[in-house]
Amino acid sequence: MRGARALAVLLLLSLSVACVERERLEPDPKPLWERMNAERGNARNRSFVHWTLEVGGHTECSGDRFFEQTTEVYARARRSADLEPVRVAGLSIWFEYKNGLMARARAQEDGSDVDQVRLREVLKVGLNPGAECSCVGVTGVMKVMKRTIVQNTLVCPEDA
């Protein structure tokens, strides 16, 4: 009887612990904006004088027994006239999970004297059948000419 109780306690403990793992991944060698069109990447632009800040991303979910969500976002600076890449003093990108286990958790990437920043992360949840796919709020910030330009977008799995 004592062995059965110990086994039951171990089983309950293992089921009650949601094994959550976040891992930062290297961005794909081919940028997201080259792999999918702007509408599918939820790209949004904001222009200031001669510069344009583009922010976009993609998220997808998979898994049956073990839930997995992969999110990739980017911010890139371009010249407004011809949309060619242009380096700016500062460029940042971050995203925040909107719901689910990781609601309000945030990942961020910053760069100085760059024309793009990219961020890719995978969220893995084991032993939790209630895990759900989450939209992510994406924010890009560009610093140019002592100004800060901000652009937001919302990226949801069903947008894929």
Side-chain angles (χ1 to χ4, degrees):
M1 188 67 155
R2 187 179 291 160
R5 187 180 324 164
L7 184 60
V9 168
L10 283 175
L11 180 62
L12 282 174
L13 283 174
S14 68
L15 290 176
S16 66
V17 175
C19 179
V20 178
E21 178 184 332
R22 285 177 74 182
E23 181 182 354
R24 178 77 60 101
L25 303 173
E26 284 296 317
D28 194 293
K30 187 173 185 179
L32 183 65
W33 59 86
E34 291 179 9
R35 287 184 277 135
M36 60 180 43
N37 63 33
E39 292 78 34
R40 285 196 62 214
N42 294 291
R44 301 286 182 267
N45 295 319
R46 169 130 325 137
S47 295
F48 171 73
V49 188
H50 300 288
W51 296 270
T52 296
L53 169 63
E54 180 182 302
V55 174
H58 178 74
T59 189
E60 59 187 45
C61 297
S62 62
D64 294 325
R65 285 185 55 207
F66 297 99
F67 170 80
E68 189 172 291
Q69 179 171 349
T70 303
T71 302
E72 183 176 4
V73 297
Y74 71 88
R76 64 181 180 150
R78 302 186 296 165
R79 268 194 310 260
S80 295
D82 56 10
L83 299 180
E84 286 298 312
V86 62
R87 291 180 173 274
V88 293
L91 197 56
S92 298
I93 187 75
W94 64 82
F95 70 87
E96 181 177 287
Y97 294 97
K98 291 299 186 182
N99 53 13
L101 288 173
M102 299 299 290
R104 294 187 297 278
R106 182 171 149 170
Q108 181 170 342
E109 185 70 30
D110 302 303
S112 298
D113 191 31
V114 294
D115 63 4
Q116 64 178 273
V117 287
R118 299 186 290 157
L119 173 61
R120 189 169 166 223
E121 176 179 285
V122 65
L123 172 66
K124 297 177 185 177
V125 180
L127 303 175
N128 188 338
E132 63 183 61
C133 228
S134 174
C135 292
V136 295
V138 183
T139 302
V141 176
M142 176 174 70
K143 295 186 179 190
V144 61
M145 293 179 53
K146 297 183 182 180
R147 302 281 182 169
T148 300
I149 313 307
V150 179
Q151 179 61 41
N152 300 300
T153 190
L154 183 66
V155 178
C156 294
E158 59 270 9
D159 293 339

